Amino acid sequence: MRHRDRGADVREPTVVAAGHAAGHVTDHVADHASRIETYAADYFETYSVVGLLAVLGVLFVAVAFGAGRLLRPVVPTPEKLLTYECGVDPVGEGWAHTQVRYYVYAFLYVIFAVDSIFLFPWATVFAAPGYGATTLVEMFVFLGFLAVGLLYAYKKGVLAWM
């Protein structure tokens, strides 16, 4: 007698002396092996699509750069070889010293950029049930670090408009 078991045609188990169904075990192992092969094929098929897209992306960029190199005119002139920055004609040497005070402005930018990057994921987790108190404490710790950074900038006189 035959019946359907999870979509596979399986024989009725035969009872042996030890109480095990020998035919059922053999069929179950074969069914399990075929399911593993199917899952593995599906798994690697999805990665092959990702790999194919990556290869096509690299080829697209390589062809675009190669076409640009072949089609553009190459006419080097002394004006084209000059250093150019921010629309200002270059004066003096190419190497120039910058003021050390600009690092503080960069520091302030990093503080506020990191703050905004951290704020959006925090807001989504804060709304999830069970995470409210933990994320609130984390945010106050993070705001404490930001306060220390702003205090440092204030002590250096960066926040004064002169």
Side-chain angles (χ1 to χ4, degrees):
M1 182 177 198
R2 295 178 169 247
H3 68 280
R4 298 292 260 170
D5 182 28
R6 294 186 193 159
D9 193 15
V10 180
R11 291 181 300 162
E12 191 69 30
T14 57
V15 179
V16 290
H20 296 289
H24 183 69
V25 170
T26 305
D27 290 341
H28 181 67
V29 170
D31 184 43
H32 185 66
S34 69
R35 266 192 269 157
I36 289 175
E37 289 175 7
T38 303
Y39 292 146
D42 291 343
Y43 179 77
F44 287 116
E45 182 180 337
T46 57
Y47 275 110
S48 64
V49 170
V50 171
L52 179 65
L53 284 175
V55 168
L56 287 175
V58 168
L59 283 175
F60 180 75
V61 170
V63 167
F65 275 107
R69 179 171 282 228
L70 290 174
L71 297 175
R72 71 176 177 234
V74 180
V75 184
T77 62
E79 291 176 346
K80 288 184 181 179
L81 298 176
L82 284 177
T83 304
Y84 179 81
E85 184 175 339
C86 300
V88 178
D89 291 330
V91 177
E93 299 178 17
W95 291 96
H97 295 284
T98 57
Q99 298 281 337
V100 177
R101 66 180 178 209
Y102 291 121
Y103 87 94
V104 181
Y105 294 110
F107 183 67
L108 282 173
Y109 170 76
V110 168
I111 288 173
F112 289 111
V114 170
D115 180 29
S116 64
I117 289 171
F118 187 71
L119 189 62
F120 292 111
W122 174 81
T124 58
V125 172
F126 184 72
Y131 291 105
T134 304
T135 55
L136 189 63
V137 169
E138 287 177 354
M139 183 50 78
F140 278 117
V141 169
F142 182 71
L143 290 175
F145 283 120
L146 286 178
V148 168
L150 285 173
L151 182 65
Y152 174 76
Y154 177 74
K155 291 285 186 180
K156 286 290 194 177
V158 174
L159 301 178
W161 292 94
M162 293 184 148

